[in-house]
Structures are given as structure tokens and as C-alpha cells.
Amino acid sequence: MGESLNREKPEIRLRAFRAIDEPETCELFIQGHTQVLTSIGVTKVTSSKNEWAKNPAAFVIIVESLNGKEVYGGARVHVSGGTEPLPIEQATSKLDPSVSELVWKYAQYGTGEICGLWNSHELSGYGIGTPLLIRTGIAISSQIGILSLFALCAPYTVKPVLNCGMVLEDSIGNKGTFYYPKLDLIATAMILKDVPVLSKAHEEDKFLIFQMRANPNNLKILELKNKEISIDFELQIPNLDKWNLFQTIASAQKTFLKNKTGNNDPDFF
């Protein structure tokens, strides 16, 4: 673990912000995520361009040390209508052009995608990656105002997103699956159709997500997976007065079905 962490009882912070507001923190996120991807053999990471860091419709969840100098994991929520297509479109539209049409179906009312989820080896085994970051991404989506949320899942994250109310989107790919980000890995397309109410979520997951929504900056966890760990939550997204979902939806409409190829980024989680 990093020098700022107590090995017996790590103390960390889970924080949310808009990507364009913190370029330096985004760079720490990028470095950590890249290391995790390369450690599992995903070496052709064309998302090294990382245009999401400049996307005004990208929001970031970061797992960091209390001094903010070290990052141990994170995830992102991208909203359709930003300066780039959703990651699921970038990853799969060449394989199935109907993906963009599906996204637009939901984007008219405000949709996004939880993506780029990763967890460092320093905190492996504490349950930081899944399902905590999935729940957190869904929780902050209500602040953003979107009504639905996509995810392109690695096999081990399908169950946690199902528990949070997502369902298989079998109208695309091979009944909802794709060989991605490489031929020996399978990604599954999932969607949460009712971010505000979570009608299909398990009661425990729904309770915890609603707890995050009700107390974005006044929540603390002291144990995960029967291990002592102190997690402070700062999930109230700053500067939301500068965020306009309706303008973003209008932008999504303008770019509807425009094929932006060449960015097959491994943003599944």
C-alpha cells in the first residue's frame, strides 16, 4: 500500500467530480487504470488518448488517499451528448451499428454509461471495486439528472450490476455479448432503465444507493468484507450549476447516428 495508508486500517476517500474541473486528478486516474489494464494483458489501450478527461459530459468517481496524492481506484459516468460517443458506442458500433440507435433511444430523455471501473492491487480484497463503485456510479447519476445508464461489463461484474437493477440488453451484439476488448474476453451489454427508482434492484443494493443519494457528503464506512477500512464519502458533485443536461441532450440529437470510428477503447469494467 502507499505510504499514506495504514496497513492495518486503510483510510481513504470516495469522491465525485466533473472531469473538466480536475485535470490533474484525471491524470492520476488514467495512470492507475492503465496499469491495471496492462496487468491483465490489455496492452493495446487506444484510450491512452483519454479524451474523456476533456469531455464536459464526463463525471469521475475517485478512490484516493486522504491527502489526495494517491489514487487507488475509480469509475466514470459519461452522459450521451458530450464531445465523444459513449464508450459502449466507441467499443461496439463497428461490430453492430445499431448500438448508436439504441443509445439515442434513451439519450432523448438523458442517458449515460458507467465505465472505466478499476481497483488497484493495494486495496484488492476490500470490496472497493465491485459492487461499491457500481452503486456509487448509480447514486451520482441522479445528481446528473439522467434516467438510464448503460454498462459494458466484464463477466465478473455482471452479477453486481444485476443486483443494482440493470438488465441484459440483448438487442445488440450476440444477444447482448461482444468479444471485447480482445477475442478471448467477453463483454456484456447491460442497462439500468430507471435510475430514479431502481425497480429491479435487490433491496440491499437499493437501500445503500439511496443512502448515498440522501447523504452524499455525510456517509462513512468502517468495514468491508469483514475487514477494517475507513471510507469517507464526498459524492456531492461540485459546480453542477454549470451543468446543463438539456443542452447535452440537444448535442446528442445533433450527432445522432454519426459514426465516429477508430476509438475502440477498453472501457468495460
Side-chain angles (χ1 to χ4, degrees):
M1 294 182 182
E3 293 180 1
S4 62
L5 285 179
N6 181 321
R7 293 177 182 272
E8 299 299 321
K9 183 181 178 181
E11 294 182 90
I12 58 176
R13 178 169 51 232
L14 199 60
R15 187 167 61 86
F17 60 93
R18 195 176 178 191
I20 59 174
D21 289 339
E22 297 195 27
E24 292 182 359
T25 311
C26 287
E27 182 58 33
L28 293 175
F29 181 108
I30 290 165
Q31 292 173 7
H33 192 196
T34 301
Q35 289 174 2
V36 170
L37 287 172
T38 54
S39 73
I40 62 172
V42 181
T43 55
K44 188 179 179 181
V45 185
T46 54
S47 59
S48 58
K49 300 176 183 176
N50 290 297
E51 293 300 318
W52 63 263
K54 301 175 184 177
N55 183 353
F59 296 83
V60 183
I61 303 160
I62 204 85
V63 181
E64 63 183 0
S65 58
L66 296 183
N67 63 15
K69 294 183 179 180
E70 297 182 66
V71 172
Y72 303 105
R76 307 192 304 272
V77 174
H78 291 202
V79 180
S80 181
T83 52
E84 57 181 355
L86 290 185
I88 192 171
E89 296 177 88
Q90 298 182 49
T92 66
S93 60
K94 282 203 258 186
L95 303 172
D96 186 346
S98 69
V99 171
S100 292
E101 185 174 355
L102 174 68
V103 169
W104 170 242
K105 173 184 173 182
Y106 290 95
Q108 298 174 67
Y109 309 101
T111 197
E113 179 179 350
I114 183 169
C115 59
L117 190 152
W118 64 280
N119 184 36
S120 70
H121 299 299
E122 289 94 333
L123 284 178
S124 62
Y126 281 91
I128 297 296
T130 56
L132 182 59
L133 284 170
I134 295 169
R135 292 170 178 163
T136 306
I138 294 171
I140 71 165
S141 293
S142 60
Q143 291 183 53
I144 299 167
I146 56 178
L147 300 184
S148 57
L149 194 63
F150 286 90
L152 190 59
C153 297
Y156 62 89
T157 57
V158 171
K159 184 177 180 180
V161 302
L162 281 170
N163 292 345
C164 289
M166 287 194 170
V167 295
L168 174 68
E169 182 50 68
D170 60 4
S171 68
I172 56 176
N174 181 14
K175 296 182 179 180
T177 64
F178 298 86
Y179 288 109
Y180 179 81
K182 54 182 186 174
L183 290 178
D184 59 345
L185 294 176
I186 294 178
T188 302
M190 308 289 291
I191 184 169
L192 176 61
K193 297 182 179 181
D194 56 355
V195 167
V197 297
L198 308 177
S199 63
K200 294 185 180 298
H202 288 190
E203 286 304 314
E204 179 185 0
D205 293 87
K206 183 187 293 187
F207 173 79
L208 293 170
I209 291 168
F210 273 74
Q211 190 177 40
M212 290 181 191
R213 290 180 181 175
N215 305 283
N217 288 352
N218 295 294
L219 189 64
K220 192 179 186 78
I221 288 178
L222 296 175
E223 182 180 289
L224 280 176
K225 289 193 172 183
N226 298 317
K227 294 181 179 180
E228 280 192 291
I229 183 169
S230 176
I231 307 174
D232 291 322
F233 288 76
E234 291 185 14
L235 300 183
Q236 185 63 49
I237 302 170
N239 303 319
L240 278 180
D241 57 318
K242 300 175 183 177
W243 163 248
N244 190 315
L245 177 61
F246 297 106
Q247 287 182 358
T248 306
I249 292 173
S251 177
Q253 183 177 25
K254 290 180 181 179
T255 58
F256 173 47
L257 288 182
K258 287 186 178 179
N259 186 19
K260 296 181 179 179
T261 60
N263 290 309
N264 294 331
D265 301 344
D267 268 323
F268 78 115
F269 64 91

